[in-house]
Amino acid sequence: MGGKKKPKGGAGKNRKGTARDKTRVGSRVGAVPVNDFRAGHFSGPAQGSGTQYNTFVQQYAPVPTALASLPPLPPEFTGRDEDLAFLLDVLAPDQDARPAVAVLAGLPGVGKTTLAHAAGHAAQKQNWFTGVLLVGLRGYDPTPARPEEVLDALLRSMGVPAEHIPPTAAEREALYRSQLDARARTGERLLVIADNASSVEQVRPLLPPGRHGLLVTSRRSLPGLGRLRSLNLLQPEDAVALLDAALKNADPEDCRVEDDPEAAERVSLACGCLPLALQITAALLVADPGQPLAERADRLTHSEGRLEGLDDGERSLRAAFDQSLDRLPPQQADLFRLLSLNAGPDISTAAVTALTGQSQQVTEHLLGQLATAHLIQRSAIRGRWQMHDLLRDYAAQQAAAHTAASRPARRRYEQARARLVDHYLRTAEAADTHFRSPAEGIPAPLFEDRNQALEWLDAERANLIATARTEGATSKAARLAFAVGRYLEWRRRLQDSVAIRALALDACRETGDDRNEAGAWNNLGATLQEVRRFDEAITAHETARTLYQQSDDTNNEATTWNNLGNALRELQRFDEAITASETARTLYQQSGDADGEAGAWNNLGLALQEVRRFDEAITAHETACALYQQSGDTHGEAIAWNNLGTAFRGLQRFPEAVAAGKRAIEMLREAEDSFRTGEALGELATTLTAAQVDAVEVRAVWLSAAEAYEQANATQEATDAREQVDKVTENTI
């Protein structure tokens, strides 16, 4: 939760300072406003026109201690049970008489201060501490609190008279430890909450002796102080609960969250589940009680100035982000802005290295520093980095302002983005070679095998699609779209495949790339078949065929005929499908493409099965198997074996059908093609059922099919397979 708004100090009487005060301190030492340190014993703000320190010291009232300064928790505090348990585990007294020190770190607005206060309250309820001291370190203000200022405030809070406080930081630190040690000997145990630290140097003088406790909040992970807890965003349901509690705190009759929970979730997600953003949004909704949550959600979601909408006049998310950015060294600040050039949700170290143009060692160091500052975070996958959505918006705005102010900066950022796009393009094209048939060439050595290529593509899928989209109608966008098409079909990301192949087509047409336009039409048609949009697929293949005919590209024309035959077969236009496959076979033979010819024979066999010409279909599939073996295309051969099994089943030659099906399954598993493994298992189960094999075996095969489909992300096919399992089970009861 974000920090509670700090109260203004009240008025109080001044008393004259002593000469010792004037000569001992100098200019600003000790001039600590109450709403920064919250020590609880100041009588009022400075008055008069004299030296601030002298005037300020005159305000201190001679109270002995101020050890009960914890503010009440806001009513919307929620969703931090695990974090609170961690802190209490650190703060609990032990038998070793060691100080309990915890560091609570996180990005701006994530609720560190409120959680620290909650930990203080919970610890006091357990009677673990006899008092709590609060001190604000102003770590991200233009002038952070100096150690001597902080120690002065803490000593006064513990009842040390002003005239007894020594002038130097080292002396004050020694006195601070002595005071704590003396209290420990009398059975006291104090908790110091140091809020908003920006460096270890600010905190180290505050480390307590003995069994006292220190809880530090910071936007940075401060090493070497104590146990670290990085505070994450709220879960969506907790974010909604916070929003509801904040609205009801202002008006118990406010039921907007209850009346429209979907809109409330949209608001929470638009706020990035960041407590400060949610609190600001709640304040804006309180100020406009007639505004529906859906309207606020639309404004936050669709507005280009989302950060501008997170400002309630007293709190501003942009201001909090500005403070963090201003504290970064120039290189780190520049990288923070550059990261907004990545279009996807996360980024790898290798991609950042391409973006910066620096060595990997330098890049890793800068990324680590940004993570320490909680402006980015390490992903669950090692070597990858994420940025909160609102921080990404902020970084993009900062990058735009930076480049608008300087032509050299704009050129440098353009070059950085070009390097990033080239990195994605070069690597994606290398990965794509591992999804092609052996006849199309040797796979690129950048990846050892298809599994390694899949791992990279899985990690970068969202980045690759987003980059292609943001590139627009350019040749690079077309190349990137071509490079990921096979992979998307392999992983059954069919809607992504349709979108990316349509993008490739648009880019080719826009850039006048006639040769690749035909390929884009053909690829789009193949994907449209996968989503069962067969009429559109036929149009796409026919368009591609015409373009290839115009350029006398016989081999690729054969491919369009082959794909066209598949679409026609799905629409039960079987005679046309047979003609298309035969035409493809002839053209492949003319061009000497044995692998393509194998595919045409295979598709021809499927069309022949549809018209129950099973003997001819068997010949076609056997020919396909032989040709695939010659070209070394084991994946294509496996598909041909599966289709051969269904042709044998059509003639009730069940032993041969089962043998062919099992061979196909074995080869497809070796190829790690989960989707087609599921298809082959389904065909085998159908064959076993027709052969009246024991139902237990049939059920096991259908279960294996469902599992294979689930691995392939084919949820509907998996559901269908499990329904078959249930049917077999019902029939055996």
Side-chain angles (χ1 to χ4, degrees), residues 522-523 525-526 529 537 541 558-568 584 603:
N522 193 43
N523 290 342
Q529 287 192 54
H541 292 311
T559 302
T560 62
W561 277 109
N562 204 20
N563 290 336
L564 180 59
N566 287 333
L568 291 167
N603 290 338

Side-chain angles (χ1 to χ4, degrees), residues 193-452:
I193 297 180
D195 189 38
N196 202 19
S198 61
S199 67
V200 173
E201 289 70 25
Q202 271 194 310
V203 180
R204 199 175 298 281
L206 310 184
L207 290 170
R211 298 175 65 246
H212 297 291
L214 174 64
L215 176 52
V216 183
T217 72
S218 178
R219 300 180 188 182
R220 300 182 63 84
S221 301
L222 304 178
L225 294 177
R227 290 181 63 185
L228 173 67
R229 181 72 169 186
S230 292
L231 192 57
N232 295 319
L233 301 171
L234 292 173
Q235 293 298 314
E237 59 271 19
D238 293 324
V240 171
L242 185 157
L243 184 66
D244 187 38
L247 293 178
K248 280 188 165 54
N249 183 51
D251 178 7
E253 301 300 320
D254 193 327
C255 296
R256 280 178 282 184
V257 171
E258 297 171 17
D259 292 342
D260 196 347
E262 182 180 349
E265 183 175 3
R266 287 178 54 214
V267 169
S268 299
L269 293 176
C271 290
C273 295
L274 188 67
L276 178 57
L278 289 161
Q279 290 168 329
I280 292 172
T281 299
L284 294 171
L285 287 165
V286 167
D288 186 1
Q291 184 180 47
L293 290 184
E295 180 182 316
R296 174 58 56 178
D298 290 341
R299 186 174 300 180
L300 286 170
T301 304
H302 302 301
S303 172
E304 293 183 0
R306 180 160 54 150
L307 288 172
E308 283 69 21
L310 291 171
D311 185 337
D312 64 4
E314 295 192 18
R315 295 167 297 186
S316 166
L317 197 61
R318 178 187 296 281
F321 291 168
D322 283 341
Q323 288 180 328
S324 291
L325 183 62
D326 290 344
R327 294 285 297 175
L328 293 179
Q331 268 194 308
Q332 293 177 30
D334 188 56
L335 177 56
F336 175 73
R337 292 188 293 264
L338 280 173
L339 288 173
S340 68
L341 300 180
N342 185 56
D346 67 348
I347 191 168
S348 68
T349 301
V352 182
T353 301
L355 184 67
T356 63
Q358 296 178 306
S359 69
Q360 181 172 329
Q361 182 178 1
V362 170
T363 300
E364 286 179 338
H365 173 74
L366 292 173
L367 287 167
Q369 291 301 307
L370 286 180
T372 298
H374 285 84
L375 290 174
I376 62 173
Q377 65 184 93
R378 288 178 169 85
S379 173
I381 302 175
R382 183 168 175 80
R384 301 193 70 82
W385 310 82
Q386 295 174 310
M387 184 183 289
H388 189 273
D389 286 348
L390 292 171
L391 276 170
R392 184 183 291 107
D393 289 351
Y394 175 73
Q397 291 182 7
Q398 291 296 313
H402 187 67
T403 55
S406 167
R407 182 175 296 178
R410 182 166 61 253
R411 178 173 175 79
R412 188 167 62 85
Y413 275 50
E414 289 171 351
Q415 291 172 339
R417 188 175 187 283
R419 288 194 300 269
L420 179 64
V421 174
D422 287 344
H423 163 77
Y424 284 138
L425 178 56
R426 180 176 61 255
T427 316
E429 288 181 335
D432 179 52
T433 63
H434 289 268
F435 295 88
R436 300 176 184 177
S437 70
E440 295 178 272
I442 300 173
L446 185 61
F447 297 100
E448 291 182 3
D449 52 28
R450 181 184 290 156
N451 285 337
Q452 195 178 77

Side-chain angles (χ1 to χ4, degrees), residues 631-643:
S631 65
D633 186 350
T634 55
H635 185 257
E637 182 187 348
I639 295 171
W641 276 108
N642 181 59
N643 295 334

Side-chain angles (χ1 to χ4, degrees), residues 46-102:
Q47 298 178 358
S49 58
T51 302
Q52 286 190 5
Y53 171 73
N54 293 331
T55 305
F56 190 80
V57 168
Q58 292 171 359
Q59 299 173 59
Y60 282 100
V63 295
T65 57
L67 303 180
S69 49
L70 272 175
L73 292 178
E76 64 267 21
F77 177 71
T78 187
R80 296 302 190 190
D81 293 345
E82 291 184 8
D83 300 299
L84 187 58
F86 174 89
L87 294 178
L88 293 179
D89 182 63
V90 177
L91 297 176
D94 58 25
Q95 303 301 318
D96 297 331
R98 293 180 300 183
V101 181

